[in-house]
Amino acid sequence: MKRTTPLRAAIGALLLTVGLGAAAANAAPPPEPAPKASASAGLLDAMRQDLGLTTAQAEERLRAEKTAAEVEKAAERSAGAAYGGSWFDPAAGRLVVAVTDRAEEAEVRALGADTRLVRHSAAALDRAKARLDGLRAPEGVAGWHVDPKSNSVVVDVVRAQRQAPAVRAFVDRARAGGPVTVAETAEAPRTYAAGTVGGDPYYTGNVRCSIGFSVHGGFVTAGHCGGAGAAVRGWDGSAMGTFQGSSFPGDDYAYVSIHSGWWTVPVVLGWGTVPDQLVRGSAEAPVGASICRSGSTTRWHCGTVLAKNQTVNYSQGAVHQMTKTSVCAEGGDSGGSFLSGDQAQGVTSGGWGNCSSGGETWFQPVNEILARYGLRLHTA
């Protein structure tokens, strides 16, 4: 990007990484290396503030979540048709894997996960959710998602509208199609775009949004921030790039190519609140894992992953395959970065609440965006 201070930090961090690598090549490795910090001091500060953890607890949790993300894929392959989903248990520091066949438990546990015996497989729950995706939801239905903990499809309804005839009719139709439970939410979800305010990352028309992640040739962000062909202005008001692809509703993602004079770095900006964060990959964090978000309005906040593959019912239309989090956000944070440690997770879409009283936020997973447009994440 064009801003100089974050770039100096990013380039300095990259040079430091290279320098340390060269030194290690010429020196004997220590016999018992100390555990490497899982994240920068800024990220750990945010986890302390929003998750109530000490520095040591935050570092240990990040290490455990990284292990859980690796175990999750192996456990799904091992359980096969008996796989019922999985989630991270912060109290135990381990992944929990649901299985429909007791015979699969021993092999899954051997991988380093705990198990829970359930009735419905993940494939069956996905089919039930897909049937709901074919329905048109009324305004009082906030969304729905597969919940491995309850082994059901959870339909979120706005508390004040739970008894509305249209909401009750939707819930009845949903229950007829498979294992469904109902949960209440305080407010309906909304997107987090905002009117133009000076000094923030990018603008299109009269909308302000936040950059998600650098890819080679540009960056990814939220689709509701601009349509294909829309011009983008940078934080300083100068011409920055063009929306090459955008999808909303249905999806909420976009790809912006950048003009000469702008460049990409594998960094998520801290906006002076926390140090800039290096991005080293995009390994997906499990349900229950800690996660942090950077946005141009509310800067850094953390929470946990609450659900995956959720359909969110915005007033503009439903958006599918979203990830739900307990992280707050506000107008102008749309498109911004969700990180788990140094792994890119997704771009901010919308939610309810704010960062004073709390709320929930959804993001569009970044790997889906990269695959859709054939992009390559810029990593350190």
Side-chain angles (χ1 to χ4, degrees):
M1 293 183 58
K2 220 172 180 181
R3 186 173 282 181
T4 57
T5 301
L7 279 175
R8 287 199 196 98
I11 293 169
L14 287 170
L15 289 175
L16 178 60
T17 302
V18 172
L20 288 174
N26 295 315
E32 292 287 342
K36 185 178 178 181
S38 303
S40 71
L43 184 58
L44 296 174
D45 282 342
M47 293 180 70
R48 283 199 301 269
Q49 173 183 317
D50 292 329
L51 297 178
L53 303 174
T54 65
T55 298
Q57 288 171 334
E59 290 181 331
E60 178 56 34
R61 178 158 175 172
L62 288 171
R63 284 192 287 268
E65 288 171 353
K66 183 177 181 180
T67 299
E70 295 168 352
V71 170
E72 186 174 37
K73 295 185 183 300
E76 182 175 1
R77 289 193 299 268
S78 175
Y83 181 70
S86 57
W87 62 94
F88 179 75
D89 180 359
R94 289 166 62 87
L95 187 75
V96 181
V97 178
V99 294
T100 60
D101 187 347
R102 193 178 297 276
E104 301 295 337
E105 288 186 298
E107 189 170 345
V108 171
R109 286 175 178 166
L111 296 171
D114 295 330
T115 59
R116 181 180 295 178
L117 194 64
V118 296
R119 180 179 178 183
H120 306 288
S121 69
L125 294 176
D126 286 343
R127 287 193 295 270
K129 179 186 176 292
R131 286 191 286 271
L132 267 66
D133 287 344
L135 303 179
R136 184 173 180 83
E139 181 180 335
V141 175
W144 49 93
H145 65 277
V146 169
D147 177 29
K149 286 187 181 181
S150 66
N151 196 226
S152 68
V153 177
V154 176
V155 176
D156 293 309
V157 299
V158 179
R159 184 175 300 118
Q161 300 183 56
R162 179 163 186 172
Q163 298 305 319
V167 172
R168 294 175 65 180
F170 181 89
V171 170
D172 288 343
R173 291 185 67 187
R175 283 176 168 154
V180 167
T181 57
V182 177
E184 292 184 350
T185 184
E187 301 175 28
R190 64 188 186 278
T191 56
Y192 283 130
T196 299
V197 177
D200 282 296
Y202 82 90
Y203 311 87
T204 177
N206 65 345
V207 171
R208 169 171 62 87
C209 282
S210 300
I211 292 171
F213 294 97
S214 287
V215 296
H216 291 273
F219 62 85
V220 294
T221 188
H224 70 263
C225 291
V232 172
R233 304 188 309 280
W235 64 272
D236 60 355
S238 65
M240 182 182 193
T242 305
F243 277 83
Q244 295 299 323
S246 179
S247 180
F248 180 80
D251 307 295
D252 194 7
Y253 51 60
Y255 162 51
V256 175
S257 65
I258 55 174
H259 301 322
S260 59
W262 296 83
W263 57 93
T264 64
V265 290
V267 170
V268 171
L269 300 178
W271 304 109
T273 302
V274 299
D276 297 342
Q277 309 293 305
L278 288 175
V279 178
R280 300 189 185 278
S282 57
E284 186 177 332
V287 170
S290 63
I291 195 163
C292 296
R293 179 193 56 73
S294 175
S296 59
T297 299
T298 58
R299 301 178 178 179
W300 278 93
H301 286 279
C302 298
T304 57
V305 178
L306 299 178
K308 295 184 182 182
N309 192 23
Q310 175 154 8
T311 296
V312 181
N313 192 35
Y314 292 127
S315 61
Q316 301 95 325
V319 178
H320 308 292
Q321 296 179 320
M322 303 282 276
T323 297
K324 181 182 182 180
T325 77
S326 63
V327 187
C328 67
E330 296 180 13
D333 286 329
S334 277
S337 321
F338 267 92
L339 287 166
S340 180
D342 56 11
Q343 299 296 303
Q345 298 297 307
V347 300
T348 303
S349 173
W352 63 268
N354 56 54
C355 288
S356 296
S357 59
E360 295 175 336
T361 303
W362 287 266
F363 67 78
Q364 181 86 64
V366 69
N367 287 330
E368 182 183 354
I369 311 173
L370 300 177
R372 170 63 180 83
Y373 296 118
L375 303 172
R376 187 159 58 95
L377 188 68
H378 194 164
T379 58

